Amino acid sequence: PYVTQLNFKIIEQPIIKKILNLGFPSALQMFFEVAIFTAAIWLSGVLGKNPQAANQIALNLSSMTFMFALGLGVAAMIRVGNQKGRKDYPELRRIAKSIFFLTLLFEICFATIFLLGRKWFPTQYLDVDSVVNAVDNREVIRIAAELLLISAFFQISDGLQAVILGALRGLQDVKIPTLMTFVAYWIIGFPISYYLGMHTELKSMGIWIGLLSGLTASALMLYLRFEYMTRRLVRTNTTEYVTS
């Protein structure tokens, strides 16, 4: 009953423009992150089949735990957007930081699990009883265990940056954060991954150190952006209240 006389010719252009202005930068944020992990797969492939297999194991495990942060990021976007609509900015900051803290607790738990099980998890992806692949299996397990050690630390950075991005989307602040994610992943993270992975003895670990650097830089820059935006909103709202 609400969709009547639908005519694409009379769709309001300002609404479409606003949707694109919010949606396209948000899509780019995800693209930049997915692209650098894809680049890590390519770099691992250059190193050989065993490094690539180990990379896929670590990446698969990290992707599963990332889903928790992604869900909390959506919650942050909704809750922050709700408080922004109410213009209750102190409550907005309280809610957002509560979600950040909850995410931090989750990611610390995942990091601990990765640290404790870094040598066991890779065995679940391999036929460890295979005599033919025994040598390859040992190398894959060794490399994957090293990568999970790094992954344990970037669980925290990756989770926080995803949730903070969600909060910034709730503020409808997407353009500057998009630039920040590009700088973090492709100006900071990828060059480190490429150099350490291709030109040092770190190899696969070097690639993931680059990922850790990019995710950490992203989390820090986005948090500073969130602090700047919300503090400004609180100050502006306080000034308007006093003036009125």
Side-chain angles (χ1 to χ4, degrees):
Y2 301 103
V3 183
T4 59
Q5 300 177 345
L6 182 63
N7 187 340
F8 287 103
K9 293 182 180 179
I10 61 172
I11 292 178
E12 296 182 33
Q13 290 186 1
I15 299 298
I16 297 298
K17 185 178 179 181
K18 184 174 183 179
I19 291 171
L20 289 174
N21 285 340
L22 290 173
F24 185 68
S26 298
L28 284 178
Q29 293 166 7
M30 299 184 72
F31 173 76
F32 293 146
E33 183 173 2
V34 171
I36 193 173
F37 278 95
T38 303
I41 295 172
W42 291 340
L43 293 175
S44 297
V46 173
L47 297 178
K49 62 182 177 67
N50 289 338
Q52 188 172 44
N55 180 83
Q56 286 298 100
I57 291 171
L59 185 58
N60 181 249
L61 289 166
S62 300
S63 298
M64 285 193 287
T65 56
F66 178 70
M67 293 300 102
F68 287 84
L70 201 59
L72 288 169
V74 174
M77 177 178 64
I78 295 169
R79 297 287 281 123
V80 166
N82 181 258
Q83 296 305 314
K84 183 176 187 293
R86 292 181 174 183
K87 295 185 178 181
D88 189 349
Y89 303 122
E91 183 68 1
L92 183 155
R93 282 175 55 83
R94 185 193 69 79
I95 289 172
K97 290 193 174 186
S98 296
I99 299 176
F100 298 166
F101 183 65
L102 178 61
T103 303
L104 178 63
L105 293 179
F106 266 110
E107 300 305 335
I108 289 174
C109 289
F110 291 138
T112 303
I113 292 170
F114 277 22
L115 285 172
L116 296 176
R118 66 183 185 277
K119 294 182 180 179
W120 176 79
F121 282 122
T123 63
Q124 305 307 299
Y125 290 80
L126 303 167
D127 181 8
V128 292
D129 296 324
S130 172
V131 178
V132 177
N133 298 316
V135 176
D136 287 338
N137 284 345
R138 283 197 295 270
E139 185 179 4
V140 170
I141 292 170
R142 178 186 62 79
I143 298 173
E146 292 174 347
L147 298 185
L148 287 175
L149 182 63
I150 300 172
S151 177
F153 291 99
F154 88 43
Q155 291 293 306
I156 298 171
S157 300
D158 198 14
L160 286 175
Q161 64 89 27
V163 175
I164 298 169
L165 268 176
L168 288 170
R169 289 184 193 124
L171 289 171
Q172 297 187 11
D173 179 39
V174 291
K175 293 182 179 179
I176 299 299
T178 299
L179 179 61
M180 288 178 171
T181 56
F182 175 78
V183 170
Y185 300 141
W186 289 98
I187 304 300
I188 298 173
F190 181 73
I192 294 174
S193 288
Y194 181 81
Y195 176 75
L196 294 180
M198 298 294 105
H199 300 289
T200 71
E201 294 301 317
L202 289 171
K203 303 298 181 183
S204 294
M205 284 191 69
I207 295 172
W208 277 59
I209 289 172
L211 296 177
L212 173 62
S213 302
L215 291 167
T216 303
S218 176
L220 288 173
M221 287 191 289
L222 292 172
Y223 181 74
L224 291 174
R225 176 68 178 176
F226 174 82
E227 279 289 306
Y228 168 76
M229 292 294 293
T230 54
R231 286 180 183 276
R232 189 176 69 174
L233 286 171
V234 170
R235 285 197 303 270
T236 303
N237 190 57
T238 303
T239 303
E240 290 176 355
Y241 178 78
V242 172
T243 302
S244 62

